[in-house]
Amino acid sequence: MDLHLEQLRTFAAVVDHGSFEAAARRLHVTPSAVSQRMKALESTIGRVLVERAKPARPTPSGRVVLRLARQVALLATDAFRELGQDSVDPAADPVEFSRIPIVVNGDSLNTWVLPALAAAARERVCVDVYREDQDHSVELLRQGTAMAAVTSDSRPVQGCAVRPLGRMRYWPMASPEFLRTWLPEGPTVEGLSRAPMLVFDRQDDLQERYLRRRARRAWDPPCHYVPSSGDFPEAIRLGIGWGMVPEQQRVRYPAGTLVPIDPEVVVEVPLYWQQWRLDSRLLDVLAECVAAAAAESLDQPGSERPGPRKSGETGG
C-alpha cells in the first residue's frame, strides 16, 4: 500500500475533531481537500475507515489505520525534531502534529497527574487528555483513540507495555454534621441503608464495594451523582452525602472538615501506565514524567503506611 503522511494525518484529524469541516479548519485546508484525502486513503486501504456521522467515528477497520496514523505521526515528529525541525510539514501546526492522546481517570487528573503533564510540557510534549474511569480506559487504547493510559488493569492491551505506578487510597468520608444526622451510631447496616451516598458517575463502584465489605446484601441507599473530581469532596463537605475520597484530596481539607465514617477501612486502587510499544522519544519522556509524579504522590508497591486496615478491593 502507498500510504501518504498527509492522508493519515487528515484521517486522525477527522476522528479527533469529529467532522471533515472541523478537521479542515484545524489543518488549514478546505473541506474538499479533506474529503479528497479521505477518499484516496479509503481507496488505497480498500475499506471504509470513518462513519460519516456526528461526530465522525472510525469503523473497525478505521481503528486499525488510526493506530498506524498516530504511530507514524509520532515517529515522524521524533525524527524531524532530531533533525532540528519542528514539523514534517512547514505548513502544519507542530503542536497538533506532535500531540499525544492519553486517558486519565478523574481522580488522578485532579490530584497527581497535572505535575507530570507540566514536566512533559517543558520537554515540548503536548497531550490530548481523555477523562475516563481507570477500569474502562484500556478500551480507548484498543480503539486507537489513545496512545497511553492510566488504568487499573495490569493486563497489557495488545501492542502495549505496562508499568506499575502505585496505589491510590480511598476513604469513606462525610462531614461531621452528616455523621451526627445520619450515622450517629457509626457505619451500621441500618444507618448506611438510609444515609445519602455520593457517586461520581454510573461507572463508579467504589462506594458499592465499600458497602459490600460492611455486609453481603443488596444496598439501595439514596444516591446523588456528582461527576466532577474537584467538586466531589466539596459536595461531601456540604453534607450532601458520604463518599469515597482519595487521600490526596482528603489532606487538602482542614482537620475535622471531612471525617472518615469508618476509620477501620481504606480501599486501595492499584494504577498502571499502559502505552503503545513504540520507539518514540516523546512517548518515553511522557512516561518518565508520569512515573516520577506517581512515585512522589502514590503509595508504591511494597510500601506500608500506618493507618487503618486495608481492603483488597479495587475501585472505579
Side-chain angles (χ1 to χ4, degrees):
M1 294 183 184
D2 186 14
L3 299 178
H4 295 278
L5 197 58
E6 68 173 14
Q7 294 173 359
L8 293 173
R9 180 169 174 262
T10 299
F11 174 43
V14 168
V15 174
D16 289 343
H17 299 287
S19 71
F20 285 27
E21 293 76 14
R25 288 193 296 270
R26 187 62 189 179
L27 298 175
H28 310 295
V29 298
T30 65
S32 176
V34 170
S35 180
Q36 290 173 10
R37 292 177 186 178
M38 285 303 305
K39 287 180 180 178
L41 180 61
E42 289 178 327
S43 177
T44 300
I45 299 294
R47 304 281 182 88
V48 175
L49 301 180
V50 65
E51 297 178 13
R52 271 67 168 178
K54 292 187 180 294
R57 296 184 298 269
T59 64
S61 297
R63 293 172 185 172
V64 176
V65 179
L66 182 60
R67 287 195 294 270
L68 173 64
R70 297 204 191 282
Q71 291 172 354
V72 170
L74 191 61
L75 292 176
T77 301
D78 277 335
F80 276 79
R81 284 191 175 181
E82 283 191 46
L83 295 172
Q85 300 182 38
D86 280 338
S87 173
V88 297
D89 178 0
D93 180 350
V95 173
E96 171 73 14
F97 203 64
S98 61
R99 184 175 291 119
I100 299 176
I102 65 173
V103 194
V104 182
N105 62 301
D107 288 337
S108 292
L109 190 61
N110 192 258
T111 54
W112 64 271
V113 165
L114 284 181
L117 302 187
R122 290 192 288 271
E123 297 294 327
R124 300 176 64 206
V125 178
C126 298
V127 296
D128 185 0
V129 179
Y130 292 81
R131 190 201 64 77
E132 182 59 87
D133 178 85
Q134 63 261 21
D135 288 340
H136 301 85
S137 55
V138 293
E139 184 58 31
L140 295 184
L141 286 175
R142 293 191 183 97
Q143 294 174 3
T145 302
M147 304 183 75
V150 175
T151 175
S152 61
D153 195 341
S154 62
R155 298 166 297 180
V157 172
Q158 184 176 3
C160 289
V162 180
R163 66 191 296 179
L165 294 174
R167 301 166 297 189
M168 289 195 75
R169 293 158 56 94
Y170 287 81
W171 305 71
M173 307 295 290
S175 68
E177 182 180 355
F178 183 92
L179 286 182
R180 289 191 294 268
T181 302
W182 293 99
L183 300 170
E185 299 180 4
T188 64
V189 171
E190 180 181 358
L192 289 171
S193 298
R194 296 182 293 104
M197 182 175 71
L198 277 175
V199 179
F200 184 81
D201 60 20
R202 268 68 180 178
Q203 295 177 332
D204 174 18
D205 66 350
L206 271 172
Q207 287 71 214
E208 292 181 5
R209 295 189 184 203
Y210 163 74
L211 290 175
R212 288 199 297 269
R213 286 189 57 82
R214 299 303 306 175
R216 295 286 179 176
R217 50 160 290 173
W219 293 90
D220 190 25
C223 184
H224 300 279
Y225 291 92
V226 181
S228 169
S229 291
D231 296 325
F232 193 86
E234 183 64 12
I236 294 175
R237 185 190 70 82
L238 293 172
I240 296 176
W242 71 269
M244 304 298 290
V245 178
E247 185 170 0
Q248 291 86 349
Q249 284 184 312
R250 180 179 70 91
V251 298
R252 294 176 182 177
Y253 284 80
T257 304
L258 299 180
V259 293
I261 66 173
D262 192 344
E264 292 298 313
V265 175
V266 58
V267 175
E268 293 189 344
V269 178
L271 295 179
Y272 302 87
W273 176 253
Q274 291 210 34
Q275 72 177 55
W276 291 356
R277 292 184 182 274
L278 200 62
D279 186 13
S280 164
R281 177 187 174 277
L282 292 175
L283 193 55
D284 290 343
V285 166
L286 177 59
E288 291 306 317
C289 290
V290 169
E296 291 184 4
S297 300
L298 304 181
D299 285 353
Q300 297 303 301
S303 67
E304 294 292 338
R305 291 189 184 182
R309 72 181 158 82
K310 300 168 185 174
S311 161
E313 301 285 334
T314 62

